[in-house]
Amino acid sequence: MLAECGTPAYACPQFVEFYSDPVDVPDQQGEFVEIRLSAPLEDFVYRPESLLVQFEGKEPLRLEFPQGNRLLLVHDSASCSGTGVACGLLGSVSLPNSRESSWLLEAGSCRDSVVVPKPKPGKSLQRVKETDEWVVSEPTPGVADEYNEYRVDPESASSAPIAPLRITEVHHCPAEPEPEWVEIYNAGVAPQPLSKFHFCGRGGVWGSLRDSLAPYESFLLSRDTFMLREFIGFRDVRLVQVALGYLNNTAGSIAICADETVVDSVSWDKNTVKCPSGFNPQTLRSENTPGFQGVAKSSKEPSSDFPFEWKLSSRVVRRGGAPLRVYVESEASVQVRLLDSSGRSEWGRLLPARSNAWWVIPLDSLPKVGVAYVELSVGKFEKRIGILLRP
């Protein structure tokens, strides 16, 4: 917005953080919405008189434009503090913790409209600078968090926000002498430079400037990769040696940091899983699938960490009948293959990114009726679906 004299007046206010599902206190005590107000008010040439915040179709909150750099909307003003932080009351608005939500912000001629993803318990959703991307992090009420900055990939001339890395498997108490290990998964659509990442408070970075983790690729981190390789028994899993230290067998936690910013974290106790099993933090179930994703999911709903979503027109088809079709939504190209009952490839095709279309799978490629499979893959991620071909 410009003042009448043509000089810059202020940057438009913007939603930057939502904390919807606290775990240590009741939601009504801990949840908050944070709005970046921009520069200190004394630097403004002009500012609006009021600010409006509306959650979906609820009655909007109307506030006098606050003093400060950031505005925290809370239920209890006693939990709101910090230099340059203004406080407002959410009133009867309760932030949803099991679904996505939509929000509207208006101040003068400024307008910000966002759709916030489904939150995770105990985690906040932080906006990546001016984009519509939201990442999971530790709550930072009233603090300018680093997810609002852009990082430069040392192998590229372009800038891009840090894509979230996920801790997808933890083996904190394997049977001796197998070493402890942690599996990391790149859920983003771009390679991630390993020189940026480390375990918070333990060890150094995971690689040099030339090392990266490809999109939808997993790798294992352990202090003893030679011994771990012996236990895994196959070579197509990437291992990286780090000063992991020792993980607590009964109750502990581990987190990924990008510089000083927490990207993802996992905690466990004696009730999470029975030693010597490892576990999947997404399902909190026992799992031992080193280097691979998509196994032992606890929900039939598609995960936001999956690189694609898919549908089959049918799981039982007839030769010469209605064709078998597959629908794929993906930001990356997806390889689709038709496999016979022994897992041999009979047909394949690379589906282009963002095609969002139904594709015909030629069943006449199969030599005989019976059980067959459709396999979808992106990078190291594979999803295999069984079908039945009838006469």
Side-chain angles (χ1 to χ4, degrees):
M1 181 176 178
L2 298 179
E4 293 182 0
C5 62
T7 58
Y10 63 91
C12 286
Q14 188 180 63
F15 291 112
V16 292
E17 186 170 358
F18 290 82
Y19 187 42
S20 306
D21 193 8
V23 295
D24 297 327
V25 296
D27 288 357
Q28 292 292 311
Q29 292 182 21
E31 62 184 19
F32 67 83
V33 176
E34 183 170 351
I35 298 170
R36 187 195 64 209
L37 298 174
S38 72
L41 290 180
E42 56 266 29
D43 295 339
F44 287 165
V45 177
Y46 168 81
R47 68 183 180 92
E49 294 181 355
S50 62
L51 182 145
L52 177 146
V53 177
Q54 185 172 24
F55 163 57
E56 297 178 344
K58 305 293 184 180
E59 182 71 21
L61 306 174
R62 300 180 186 273
L63 308 171
E64 180 180 350
F65 199 89
Q67 305 284 331
N69 302 331
R70 293 188 169 235
L71 170 65
L72 280 183
L73 297 177
V74 297
H75 289 284
D76 182 1
S77 58
S79 61
C80 178
S81 63
T83 303
V85 177
C87 300
L89 295 180
L90 282 166
S92 61
V93 173
S94 180
L95 278 60
N97 56 25
S98 60
R99 62 176 177 86
E100 67 178 25
S101 57
S102 58
W103 294 79
L104 172 66
L105 169 65
E106 292 183 349
S109 61
C110 292
R111 180 185 176 95
D112 186 26
S113 178
V114 301
V115 175
V116 182
K118 177 182 174 181
K120 289 187 175 182
K123 301 291 184 179
S124 77
L125 290 162
Q126 296 177 359
R127 193 174 196 161
V128 180
K129 205 176 179 182
E130 307 295 333
T131 71
D132 289 328
E133 182 181 356
W134 297 84
V135 294
V136 177
S137 183
E138 297 297 315
T140 57
V143 178
D145 27 76
E146 294 186 23
Y147 279 124
N148 293 324
E149 300 295 332
Y150 277 87
R151 307 283 183 164
V152 178
D153 185 333
E155 300 297 316
S156 170
S158 62
S159 296
I162 296 176
L165 298 185
R166 297 284 183 262
I167 300 173
T168 47
E169 196 167 339
V170 178
H171 283 250
H172 59 295
C173 55
E176 295 291 345
E178 180 183 355
E180 298 170 340
W181 55 272
V182 177
E183 180 185 73
I184 306 296
Y185 175 58
N186 178 9
V189 297
Q192 294 303 310
L194 298 186
S195 60
K196 289 288 185 182
F197 298 97
H198 61 96
F199 285 122
C200 308
R202 60 173 78 211
V205 296
W206 297 340
S208 68
L209 291 176
R210 295 186 175 275
D211 295 325
S212 63
L213 185 63
Y216 314 121
E217 182 183 6
S218 304
F219 72 165
L220 308 185
L221 295 162
S222 175
R223 64 179 177 274
D224 188 345
T225 54
F226 178 81
M227 183 67 73
L228 182 58
R229 179 72 71 190
E230 294 297 314
F231 276 88
I232 292 176
F234 47 90
R235 297 288 170 180
D236 55 346
V237 174
R238 183 178 176 186
L239 307 182
V240 174
Q241 186 175 23
V242 296
L244 182 61
Y246 290 90
L247 304 179
N248 193 297
N249 290 355
T250 56
S253 65
I254 194 167
I256 303 172
C257 274
D259 296 330
E260 300 301 321
T261 303
V262 177
V263 174
D264 191 26
S265 64
V266 171
S267 60
W268 62 88
D269 58 32
K270 62 182 181 180
N271 297 316
T272 301
V273 68
K274 185 177 180 180
C275 289
S277 296
F279 70 96
N280 181 329
Q282 275 70 50
T283 64
L284 294 181
R285 291 183 177 181
S286 175
E287 186 170 328
N288 187 16
T289 58
F292 296 92
Q293 303 296 318
V295 179
K297 292 291 179 183
S298 63
S299 172
K300 295 183 179 180
E301 296 181 1
S303 166
S304 60
D305 290 345
F306 285 13
F308 54 78
E309 295 186 15
W310 61 274
K311 295 178 184 178
L312 280 181
S313 59
S314 178
R315 298 285 290 271
V316 179
V317 289
R318 294 182 181 275
R319 192 185 293 278
L324 176 65
R325 292 184 172 89
V326 61
Y327 176 84
V328 177
E329 281 187 34
S330 175
E331 293 296 314
S333 299
V334 177
Q335 179 69 47
V336 58
R337 295 197 301 159
L338 180 63
L339 312 178
D340 66 13
S341 58
S342 298
R344 293 185 292 265
S345 178
E346 301 291 343
W347 172 86
R349 179 171 184 174
L350 186 65
L351 306 184
R354 295 180 293 275
S355 60
N356 300 348
W358 287 94
W359 301 84
V360 174
I361 298 177
L363 293 174
D364 54 4
S365 302
L366 292 172
K368 59 182 180 180
V369 298
V371 174
Y373 302 92
V374 174
E375 183 183 86
L376 304 170
S377 63
V378 174
K380 294 288 187 179
F381 184 97
E382 294 181 356
K383 179 67 178 180
R384 186 173 293 187
I385 310 107
I387 61 172
L388 179 63
L389 178 61
R390 305 183 67 178

